[in-house]
Amino acid sequence: METGISLKSLGIKSDLKLAGRNFNPDGTKIHLGGVKIGGEEKVIIAGPCAVESKEQLLETASAVKKAGAKVLRGGAFKPRSSPYSFQGLGIEGLKILQEVGRETGLLTVTEVIDTRDVELVSSYADILQLGSRNMQNFQLLLEVGKLDKPVLLKRGISSTVEEWLLAAEYIMSMGNYRVILCERGIRTFEPLTRNTLDLAVIPLVKRLSHLPVFVDPSHGTGIRELVPAMGKAALSAGADGLIVEVHGEPSCALSDGHQSLLPEEFAKFMGHLNRVKELFDSTEMLPLLD
Ligand code: PEP
Ligand code: MN
């Protein structure tokens, strides 16, 4: 008799021998510089969409650290829809991110968009982000699979859960088992939000895979005012952590200002998260796989 959801019962035919829950039924925990990702504690990643200057990043980093974030985000190579939009500071941005990470005691995460830059980016950051637009860039997946660094794997803009888990499988097939999945919204017919944040995948993927699951309510909504509610909803649904965009002066941000929280809004949000901790779902309470 079927007793719960499984890869098979959902009709997933692909071989998920590494990313599937059975590979590590207790759930993968990633230990990194005193932070445990995938454990009891929810881990909050915060920072600006892009690194713009040392002053900008330091101001935001100090604020998010004070509020309880453990990891600093900041793009140096930005995958922009238009070739005329700000593309990021490149190596200069990586250097600033590393400096600010060290000065504030925060771990760092930044995106890599080109196979030729994987080594470079990994020499500056603690976690590499593989963005939505590159989720099925198989060469890039294989390349980050060779690293000894965790990879934050965003769900593709129009990708199914099976494709997303297969992307993780690509990374893991090269020997890197430290993959963090991140739901960041998918493209639907709804134009009022930037993306449709698919929160149902959290309890689903937590049962289909052993990998930690994060949520990005910033790109998931595209609207600053919606970010705290969706962040709380994601943690309540069992997400292991969040990645949130924060900017000291959103109206002047070079990218994604409209979806970035102000530092004081972020601090308020973090205070609220601490007060509602007991609402956050724990997968341990529910059957995982049949
Ligand atoms: C980002 O995190 O800045 C980003 C570009 O994310 P995504 O790949 O989810 O669009
Ligand atoms: Mn962004």
Side-chain angles (χ1 to χ4, degrees):
M1 197 185 83
E2 293 284 306
T3 53
I5 52 171
S6 66
L7 298 170
K8 219 166 86 203
S9 73
L10 286 172
I12 294 182
K13 293 195 187 71
S14 307
D15 197 358
L16 292 167
K17 52 177 171 248
L18 301 172
R21 184 92 204 178
N22 286 336
F23 181 72
N24 186 4
D26 292 339
T28 287
K29 288 155 191 74
I30 299 173
H31 298 260
L32 193 67
V35 177
K36 190 156 90 178
I37 295 168
E40 296 277 286
E41 283 293 313
K42 308 290 182 182
V43 174
I44 309 298
I45 304 172
C49 179
V51 178
E52 297 169 5
S53 70
K54 170 103 190 243
E55 297 66 45
Q56 167 248 10
L57 193 64
L58 189 56
E59 183 201 335
T60 303
S62 312
V64 300
K65 160 97 183 179
K66 194 161 161 240
K70 294 286 192 290
V71 186
L72 174 65
R73 63 152 291 148
F77 295 100
K78 296 302 303 172
R80 305 306 299 281
S81 299
S82 164
Y84 309 117
S85 299
F86 175 60
Q87 303 287 311
L89 297 180
I91 299 181
E92 189 52 29
L94 294 176
K95 289 183 178 159
I96 295 173
L97 181 68
Q98 186 182 53
E99 269 173 39
V100 172
R102 284 182 179 162
E103 283 174 32
T104 51
L106 287 163
L107 293 168
T108 57
V109 60
T110 196
E111 183 166 354
V112 60
I113 59 177
D114 191 316
T115 47
R116 292 166 297 186
D117 294 333
V118 168
E119 241 179 83
L120 174 80
V121 176
S122 75
S123 69
Y124 285 100
D126 298 305
I127 303 171
L128 268 71
Q129 178 172 321
L130 215 139
S132 203
R133 290 156 191 83
N134 274 310
M135 194 208 80
Q136 283 193 319
N137 181 335
F138 300 114
Q139 292 309 318
L140 198 49
L141 293 169
L142 293 172
E143 216 47 46
V144 297
K146 294 179 196 161
L147 296 176
D148 186 21
K149 294 237 159 144
V151 176
L152 183 76
L153 176 64
K154 296 269 196 111
R155 181 181 181 185
I157 213 153
S158 301
S159 295
T160 64
V161 166
E162 186 168 358
E163 288 163 342
W164 188 21
L165 294 176
L166 281 168
E169 190 79 21
Y170 259 91
I171 299 172
M172 298 176 80
S173 73
M174 296 303 285
N176 187 354
Y177 293 168
R178 295 197 291 172
V179 178
I180 304 157
L181 299 166
C182 182
E183 160 65 31
R184 47 78 72 205
I186 48 173
R187 183 163 287 179
T188 68
F189 49 80
E190 178 54 63
L192 297 187
T193 46
R194 182 175 179 182
N195 291 291
T196 295
L197 192 56
D198 186 6
L199 293 182
V201 299
I202 305 164
L204 177 66
V205 171
K206 287 296 290 178
R207 285 157 182 78
L208 298 180
S209 175
H210 55 87
L211 296 170
V213 178
F214 272 51
V215 169
D216 176 346
S218 307
H219 293 88
T221 61
I223 302 170
R224 172 182 313 119
E225 288 78 2
L226 308 189
V227 169
M230 297 315 279
K232 274 177 267 172
L235 294 178
S236 306
D240 296 292
L242 303 173
I243 177 165
V244 181
E245 287 185 336
V246 180
H247 197 286
E249 213 177 335
S251 59
C252 300
L254 297 179
S255 62
D256 288 349
H258 47 277
Q259 66 190 34
S260 300
L261 294 179
L262 283 156
E264 52 271 29
E265 291 170 338
F266 178 73
K268 197 169 152 202
F269 171 57
M270 291 292 280
H272 196 190
L273 291 188
N274 281 331
R275 289 197 300 280
V276 296
K277 259 185 183 157
E278 61 280 4
L279 289 181
F280 300 156
D281 184 26
S282 161
T283 338
E284 274 73 37
M285 297 193 294
L286 293 153
L288 293 170
L289 285 175
D290 58 355

